[in-house]
Amino acid sequence: MTTDIKDTARAVDAASLMGLLSTRPRLLALGEPTHGEDTLLELRNELFRQLVEREGYRTIAIESDCLMGLVLDDYVTTGTGTLDEAVQHGISHGWDAYPANRELVRWMRAYNDGRPPAERVRFAGFDGPLEITAAASPRQALLALHGYLSARVDADLLPCTAETLGRLLGPDARWTDPAAMRDPARSVGRSAEARELRLLADDLVALLDQERPHLVSVSAPDDWDRARLYGRTATGLLRYHHWMADASPARITRLVSVRDEMMARNLLALAARGPVLVHAHNSHLQRARSTIRMDGKPVQWWGAGALVSAELGDEYAFVATALGTIRHRGVDTPPPDTLEGLLYALPEDRCVIDAPRLAARFGDARPAPRVSPWFGYAPLDPARLADVDGMVFVRDLPPGGAV
């Protein structure tokens, strides 16, 4: 079987990835099956450099807080602040500690130095301001949206004052209480104040749309884009907190669905300004329904990639990453009858695979699914290979990551 699949493998570079696609996608999504491995982040960095220099890509979006990402984008485009400040305050989930993420930011700033605005590369986080154990207060997004509007439209059109928003929000600790993730009764998401905030946020976003002809005429493009980001984030966070307060069996499904919907809306907005390389976990970017187990029960939802693909069609492309070993995590040589096992037998340490062609080669005789001994690594499902536009295979991951 290994001999039969050799002709589906190519060198790992931007040209090989683009050669798998019928057109240059507006969103080229590169997934990873595990987080926190610098080898994969370094590979992402090199592919992004090649896509910028050879294919005209100008934005990279990673699975990080969309509001924090504005700080980092300011640094790489204009030099605002320092590298240390930009990395520390511009990347969430603790991923600022990974050397490869720091190197990406350093390269982007160096690339932009002296270039006109239209040629500069941009950075974006496309995740909501969410962590596994908590969600942010909607304060930053709501007040920023209100501030943008109050500076540009008649005060009589605003549904409320900033002081009203502040009163309804109360202390941020009410919103960020980690206990609310496990105990719906601890969440403020269905309080009277939260319900009023949802209505006001909806009215503020509606005003943004209603006044668009005027607003775009008096705003710099980045200011307009950020106002819309604040609106998406405010309404998304309030919806997320609403479902944190839910005690029904669908609670977790609702939460992961809201998160990925926020991701998808951010990606669609980024796609409107030019081709984007997106980097995140495979589960967020795949076209098929995503599945995880929480508290021993399966949870299924449509991820950001599935939602974006339904909107963009061929202008969305998904390249999954598959791995052979992560020995420092207990993931040893894959069984030879699995997809990863067949790829592991190839002579290359890393390669790009024509996934649809490989799926056609397998036909009904699919490889066995691999079972991971470590919860932090998700093998590819051979049954979904035909839904993947391409695949990057990395044979072995050496130890390395945050320092």
Side-chain angles (χ1 to χ4, degrees):
M1 178 66 78
T2 301
T3 302
D4 293 342
I5 68 174
K6 277 185 178 180
D7 61 350
T8 68
R10 311 178 185 188
V12 179
D13 55 32
S16 295
L17 290 182
M18 301 305 287
L20 297 176
L21 310 174
S22 59
T23 185
R24 184 182 73 169
R26 280 197 278 165
L27 288 176
L28 174 56
L30 175 65
E32 61 178 5
T34 186
H35 284 319
E37 297 292 338
D38 255 332
T39 297
L40 299 183
L41 300 178
E42 290 164 0
L43 180 61
R44 172 207 65 189
N45 291 355
E46 179 57 29
L47 288 172
F48 180 57
R49 285 192 288 267
Q50 293 176 17
L51 288 166
V52 168
E53 294 167 353
R54 306 174 192 176
E55 302 292 340
Y57 280 71
R58 286 292 177 269
T59 300
I60 185 167
I62 72 169
E63 189 183 332
S64 182
D65 183 328
C66 58
L67 298 184
M68 290 179 68
L70 299 176
V71 174
L72 207 155
D73 187 52
D74 283 341
Y75 172 73
V76 299
T77 54
T78 68
T80 302
T82 66
L83 174 61
D84 288 342
E85 291 168 345
V87 172
Q88 180 181 356
H89 300 295
I91 303 177
S92 65
H93 299 80
W95 293 335
D96 56 305
Y98 290 89
N101 284 332
R102 182 183 179 87
E103 175 57 24
L104 170 68
V105 178
R106 188 206 62 77
W107 177 83
M108 292 177 73
R109 178 67 205 125
Y111 181 90
N112 284 338
D113 191 26
R115 294 181 186 270
E119 296 179 13
R120 294 173 190 166
V121 292
R122 305 287 300 269
F123 176 88
F126 73 95
D127 201 353
L130 306 168
E131 295 285 353
I132 294 173
T133 57
S137 163
R139 178 185 306 277
Q140 180 184 357
L142 270 175
L143 292 182
L145 175 59
H146 188 279
Y148 171 86
L149 287 167
S150 63
R152 294 167 176 84
V153 302
D154 190 329
D156 291 341
L157 295 177
L158 293 168
C160 64
T161 65
E163 290 73 23
T164 297
L165 292 178
R167 175 180 58 78
L168 292 171
L169 285 161
D172 284 347
R174 299 172 63 218
W175 299 91
T176 59
D177 181 5
M181 182 56 71
R182 288 288 181 181
D183 182 2
R186 296 290 296 270
S187 172
V188 299
R190 296 194 178 184
S191 64
E193 294 88 350
R195 287 195 295 270
E196 188 170 353
L197 284 168
R198 288 190 76 183
L199 291 173
L200 291 173
D202 184 67
D203 283 341
L204 288 168
V205 172
L207 182 59
L208 194 67
D209 292 335
Q210 293 157 7
E211 292 292 312
R212 178 170 184 163
H214 165 67
L215 293 171
V216 297
S217 72
V218 299
S219 302
D222 279 356
D223 291 339
W224 167 249
D225 287 344
R226 290 185 177 196
R228 293 196 298 162
L229 172 62
Y230 295 138
R232 293 193 302 273
T233 306
T235 55
L237 277 174
L238 286 165
R239 187 176 299 112
Y240 192 89
H241 281 287
H242 174 84
W243 288 109
M244 283 185 73
D246 178 45
S248 79
R251 178 176 185 264
I252 297 299
T253 301
R254 290 285 194 179
L255 290 176
V256 294
S257 297
V258 169
R259 180 189 178 192
D260 270 83
E261 182 196 17
M262 292 174 70
M263 287 182 170
R265 290 182 182 276
N266 287 336
L267 288 177
L268 289 170
L270 291 170
R273 74 183 189 197
V276 181
L277 175 67
V278 184
H279 188 249
H281 198 279
N282 286 331
S283 62
H284 289 302
L285 301 178
Q286 67 192 29
R287 290 186 177 89
R289 190 183 289 269
S290 299
T291 303
I292 57 172
R293 294 191 70 84
M294 297 192 71
D295 297 328
K297 299 177 182 178
V299 177
Q300 293 188 327
W301 76 103
W302 292 109
L307 298 173
V308 170
S309 180
E311 178 77 15
L312 295 183
D314 291 343
E315 292 188 291
Y316 177 78
F318 171 48
V319 176
T321 298
L323 301 175
T325 71
I326 323 174
R327 298 189 197 280
H328 54 286
R329 298 293 189 183
V331 181
D332 215 327
T333 305
D337 62 340
T338 63
L339 174 62
E340 288 86 354
L342 292 168
L343 296 173
Y344 197 79
L346 293 173
E348 295 84 5
D349 287 334
R350 56 184 64 179
C351 55
V352 169
I353 302 293
D354 186 336
R357 185 177 180 186
L358 184 59
R361 187 72 54 83
F362 287 143
D364 293 332
R366 296 174 185 149
R370 186 183 190 184
V371 178
S372 172
W374 176 50
F375 74 94
Y377 160 62
L380 288 183
D381 183 351
R384 296 176 173 176
L385 197 56
D387 294 328
V388 177
D389 296 298
M391 181 168 48
V392 173
F393 178 70
V394 178
R395 203 168 190 271
D396 302 289
L397 286 188
V403 294

